[in-house]
């Protein structure tokens, strides 16, 4: 294996494009023709590479490591990929808590906005991204193979503070769990959007609809290499950077989009159907209802958002000067624009401004000016998109509550991988539409689950069977296990060829396994668990050479 290492000791943030200002109530009649500026995020730092990472065409596996000290995420941009069908690219972090697989069909999903046809895989959180080009058995490398990395982008967390008139009163979403579970649970439907621009997005209703601003995601080119981060929230209230359960979902296609002027700055789009369906996006994270009524001055609001000038775990703005933040006035006589005093920051563009009473969306956050922040009024937004969203699907859908996530990389058919550990006694249950068969018993056995797998090379959807086993002091048993164990509980995942006789030996697949997790003590639904699987299948994976180049 050829291994190249690139390291940087730091990154320099760029200038802030525009700041969000905190509004305070004014006694004077507001100037309604000053709409302000969109709450755009700070651009990432772009670092050029400009090389074919395949330096030795005899190698069946070539690896590249990119490390930028202090970076919160790294996103790669490839301008040319020429590989034989059957070869694939793996992107991961060093601990393999994130692993993403891409084949030739993915390489066709390009974005022309960068001045060339660019393919960009899902970003890697943290300082280090690993790229591996794999030629499985039966696929021969050639001198014409090219994987040309044009450049990569890095971002820091919390690059700037833009609250000017007063104190930033936003707090991590998790802190509302004990105060008002309505705010916490409804905010699950809001996600970080890394698409054409960086902003915030949210799920609409009970079908595959997502909403944000047009200046965040207005074209299919923007979506082609984008990603949506659900569950990008702090795990504990005292540490807002403790984000261990992010779920990254591919966007799909634009359904309809307005213009980038303030009142029509909206974009309705769908998520990738495979991810949406198999990751149980609506069941786990919920969806929001767009209110069809006009707002009133004094209506109280709260805004779940991901803005801070850099990438930021979700916070909620619900107060201003110790009181509930609220609608201050309207931008125009028709009330198409709603002005409010909830705190926002660069990166908040596209957030939902929700009613503190009904939890319905009252405005689509757009921008700010010196005396207030502003969003597209929900009644006007609904009028623009209602022909694309059936009225009976525009409903509030509560998420499951706390969602835990795990990544499982399976290069071996014989080893069971521990997907997640729980300190407390828990039991597991599948969703209603999943095919599960229990073998053995609760203390000595396993369960099989048939899920959809996406063939990385062909893009075909194939059935894949995995074995799930619950491990505790009572033994290793099937999903029916309920054990009073002082040592906690683990859920293990394994892949067996004997369970998958119809799958080709050289296939690489990605899958999702969603589960419900219940507290064994009283049986209440404690968590949702979402396991993503990258299965490179051992018979199709070459033995890696150990050559290392660079340091």
């Amino acid at each position: 294996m050829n291994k190249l290492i690139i390291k940087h000791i730091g990154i320099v943030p760029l200038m802030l494009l525009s700041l969000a200002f905190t509004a305070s109530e004014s006694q004077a009649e507001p100037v309604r023709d000053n709409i302000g500026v969109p709450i755009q995020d700070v651009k990432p730092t772009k670092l050029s590479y400009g090389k074919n990472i395949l330096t030795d065409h005899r190698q069946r596996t070539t690896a590249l490591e990119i490390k930028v000290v202090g970076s919160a995420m790294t996103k790669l941009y490839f301008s040319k990929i020429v590989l034989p069908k059957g070869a694939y690219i793996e992107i991961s972090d060093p601990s393999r808590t994130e692993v993403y697989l891409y084949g030739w069909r993915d390489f066709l999903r390009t974005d022309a906005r960068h001045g060339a046809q660019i393919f960009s895989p899902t970003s890697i959180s943290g300082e280090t991204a690993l790229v591996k080009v794999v030629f499985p058995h039966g696929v021969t490398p050639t001198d014409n193979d090219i994987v040309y990395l044009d450049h990569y982008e890095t971002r820091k967390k919390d690059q700037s503070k833009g609250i000017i008139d007063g104190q930033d009163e936003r707090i991590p979403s998790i802190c509302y769990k004990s105060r008002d579970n309505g705010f916490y649970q409804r905010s699950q439907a809001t996600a970080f959007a890394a698409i054409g621009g960086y902003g915030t997005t949210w799920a609409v209703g009970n079908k595959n609809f997502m909403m944000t601003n047009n200046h965040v995601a207005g074209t299919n080119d923007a979506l082609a290499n984008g990603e949506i981060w659900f569950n990008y929230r702090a795990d504990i209230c005292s540490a807002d950077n403790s984000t261990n359960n992010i779920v990254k979902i591919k966007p799909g296609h634009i359904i309809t989009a307005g213009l980038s002027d303030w009142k029509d700055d909206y974009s309705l789009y769908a998520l990738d159907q495979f991810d949406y369906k198999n990751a149980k996006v609506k069941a786990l994270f919920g969806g929001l209802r767009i209110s069809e009524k006009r707002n009133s001055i004094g209506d109280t609001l709260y805004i779940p958002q991901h803005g801070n000038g850099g990438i930021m775990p979700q916070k909620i703005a619900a107060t201003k000067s110790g009181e509930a933040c609220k609608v201050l006035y309207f931008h125009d006589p028709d009330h198409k624009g709603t002005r409010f005093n909830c705190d926002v920051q660069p990166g908040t563009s596209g957030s939902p401004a929700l009613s503190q009473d009904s939890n319905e969306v009252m405005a689509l956050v757009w921008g700010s000016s010196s005396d207030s922040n502003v969003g597209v009024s929900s009644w006007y937004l609904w009028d623009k998109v209602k022909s694309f969203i059936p009225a009976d699907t525009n409903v509030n859908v509560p998420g499951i509550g706390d969602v835990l996530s795990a990544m499982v990389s399976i290069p071996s058919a014989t080893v069971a991988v521990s997907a997640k550990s729980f300190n407390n006694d828990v039991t597991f249950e599948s969703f209603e539409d999943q095919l599960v068969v229990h073998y053995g018993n609760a203390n000595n056995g396993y369960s099989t689950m048939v899920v959809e797998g996406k063939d990385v090379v062909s893009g075909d959807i194939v059935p894949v069977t995995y074995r799930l086993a619950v491990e505790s002091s009572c033994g290793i048993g099937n999903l029916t296990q309920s054990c009073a164990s002082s040592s906690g509980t683990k859920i293990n995942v394994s892949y067996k060829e004997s369970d998958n006789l119809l799958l080709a030996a050289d296939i690489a697949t990605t899958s999702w396994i969603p589960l419900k997790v219940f507290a064994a003590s009283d049986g209440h639904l404690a968590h949702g668990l979402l396991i993503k699987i990258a299965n490179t299948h051992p018979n199709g994976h070459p033995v890696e050479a150990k050559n290392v180049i660079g340091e």
Side-chain angles (χ1 to χ4, degrees):
M1 176 179 69
N2 279 349
K3 186 176 183 181
L4 308 177
I5 301 177
I6 305 172
K7 294 185 178 180
H8 293 270
I9 59 173
I11 56 179
V12 180
L14 302 182
M15 293 290 292
L16 194 65
L17 296 183
S18 60
L19 293 177
F21 299 95
T22 302
S24 59
E25 293 189 66
S26 174
Q27 300 300 317
E29 180 69 17
V31 179
R32 288 180 167 79
D33 60 355
N34 177 23
I35 187 60
V37 294
I39 316 169
Q40 295 173 310
D41 196 12
V42 177
K43 286 186 177 181
T45 299
K46 178 179 176 180
L47 298 167
S48 296
Y49 184 69
K51 296 178 184 178
N52 181 7
I53 70 174
L54 298 176
T55 57
D56 185 346
H57 293 280
R58 298 169 298 175
Q59 297 290 347
R60 300 187 65 83
T61 303
T62 297
L64 170 69
E65 175 183 314
I66 296 175
K67 182 173 183 178
V68 181
V69 176
S71 177
M73 63 175 280
T74 301
K75 192 165 177 65
L76 310 175
Y77 293 85
F78 297 91
S79 59
K80 188 174 184 179
I81 298 177
V82 179
L83 292 173
K85 288 185 179 180
Y88 61 88
I89 295 176
E90 176 188 284
I91 311 293
S92 71
D93 67 327
S95 65
R96 299 186 71 79
T97 55
E98 289 188 88
V99 181
Y100 305 101
L101 306 177
Y102 301 94
W104 69 272
R105 287 183 180 273
D106 296 301
F107 307 150
L108 301 177
R109 194 179 71 243
T110 57
D111 177 358
R113 295 170 306 125
H114 295 263
Q117 291 295 327
I118 293 287
F119 166 69
S120 180
T122 299
S123 65
I124 295 297
S125 301
E127 297 182 341
T128 305
L130 304 178
V131 184
K132 186 183 291 184
V133 184
V134 179
F135 297 85
H137 291 305
V139 181
T140 303
T142 73
D143 291 341
N144 297 321
D145 297 332
I146 299 173
V147 178
Y148 193 91
L149 178 60
D150 184 81
H151 67 278
Y152 51 100
E153 293 178 346
T154 62
R155 297 184 66 89
K156 286 186 175 181
K157 292 181 180 177
D158 297 348
Q159 284 184 303
S160 64
K161 300 290 183 182
I163 300 296
I164 294 178
D165 183 18
Q167 182 179 358
D168 185 353
E169 296 184 30
R170 302 173 305 158
I171 63 174
S173 300
I174 186 67
C175 302
Y176 275 101
K177 185 177 180 180
S178 59
R179 301 187 192 187
D180 187 326
N181 197 44
F183 290 9
Y184 173 71
Q185 189 177 41
R186 300 297 180 177
S187 67
Q188 275 191 300
T190 304
F192 172 62
I195 314 178
Y198 289 85
T200 304
T201 186
W202 41 281
V204 181
N206 63 8
K207 298 297 182 183
N208 189 2
F209 297 111
M210 297 290 294
M211 180 68 71
T212 189
N213 288 137
N214 178 66
H215 73 262
V216 174
T219 66
N220 284 317
D221 268 350
L223 294 183
N225 292 315
E227 54 198 80
I228 307 301
W229 295 16
F230 283 97
N231 222 35
Y232 183 34
R233 313 201 291 183
D235 300 316
I236 55 177
C237 185
S238 59
D240 64 1
N241 286 326
S242 57
T243 54
N244 299 313
N245 293 288
I246 301 172
V247 176
K248 297 182 181 180
I249 300 290
K250 291 181 183 178
H253 62 278
I254 296 291
I255 298 170
T256 185
L259 306 173
S260 289
D261 71 306
W262 68 270
K263 68 181 184 301
D264 292 312
D265 195 347
Y266 63 87
S267 180
L268 180 70
Y269 65 98
L271 296 173
D272 174 82
Q273 184 60 28
F274 177 81
D275 281 358
Y276 171 78
K277 174 185 175 183
N278 291 286
K280 301 290 183 187
V281 169
K282 284 296 166 72
L284 291 175
F285 303 111
L288 302 174
R289 184 180 188 276
I290 303 173
S291 176
E292 302 163 26
K293 71 173 188 176
R294 293 175 181 252
N295 304 331
S296 299
I297 293 175
D299 285 348
T300 55
L301 305 172
Y302 67 100
I303 303 177
Q305 56 187 277
H306 289 279
N308 221 39
I311 64 172
M312 182 195 75
Q314 188 184 87
K315 290 187 177 181
I316 292 177
T319 62
K320 191 73 254 172
S321 301
E323 299 180 353
C325 63
K326 59 189 177 183
V327 176
L328 298 179
Y329 59 91
F330 300 100
H331 176 71
D332 59 295
D334 294 328
H335 293 193
K336 294 177 181 177
T338 296
R339 295 279 194 169
F340 47 83
N341 65 347
C342 306
D343 289 333
V344 294
Q345 283 273 28
T348 305
S349 286
S351 298
L354 299 166
S355 165
Q356 293 198 18
D357 296 321
S358 68
N359 293 305
E360 294 184 353
V361 177
M362 308 306 291
L364 172 66
V365 176
W366 177 82
S368 63
S369 62
S370 58
D371 76 319
S372 62
N373 300 315
V374 64
V376 182
S377 297
S378 60
W379 76 267
Y380 181 73
L381 177 66
W382 176 248
D383 189 61
K384 290 292 184 178
V385 301
K386 64 184 180 182
S387 61
F388 301 92
I389 303 175
D392 60 351
T393 69
N394 181 33
V395 294
N396 257 330
V397 180
I400 206 167
D402 289 322
V403 176
L404 305 176
S405 67
M407 169 67 75
V408 172
S409 177
I410 300 184
S412 169
T414 59
V415 178
V417 179
S418 176
K420 204 74 174 179
S421 298
F422 298 84
N423 294 327
N424 301 320
D425 302 333
V426 295
T427 61
F428 300 91
E429 184 179 299
S430 61
F431 282 79
E432 291 73 16
D433 59 347
Q434 293 173 299
L435 178 58
V436 177
V437 179
H438 304 302
Y439 294 89
N441 55 54
N443 300 325
N444 184 17
Y446 61 90
S447 301
T448 61
M449 179 181 291
V450 180
V451 298
E452 288 190 348
K454 190 170 189 177
D455 185 327
V456 173
V457 174
S458 69
D460 294 339
I461 307 301
V462 295
V464 185
T465 300
Y466 289 99
R467 295 189 181 189
L468 305 177
V470 180
E471 180 179 352
S472 69
S473 60
C474 297
I476 300 177
N478 60 36
L479 290 181
T480 64
Q481 184 185 110
S482 178
C483 175
S485 170
S486 59
S487 60
T489 308
K490 293 181 181 179
I491 180 77
N492 298 330
V493 181
S494 60
Y495 174 89
K496 300 292 183 182
E497 290 183 13
S498 57
D499 297 333
N500 295 277
L501 296 177
L502 298 181
L503 289 183
D506 60 350
I507 193 172
T509 60
T510 59
S511 299
W512 297 92
I513 294 180
L515 293 167
K516 301 174 186 177
V517 184
F518 295 86
S521 57
D522 59 9
H524 79 273
L525 180 60
H527 308 284
L529 174 61
L530 187 57
I531 304 169
K532 186 170 186 180
I533 298 180
N535 187 345
T536 53
H537 201 291
N539 287 345
H541 206 287
V543 176
E544 297 179 357
K546 297 299 181 181
N547 300 325
V548 177
I549 300 175
E551 183 56 48

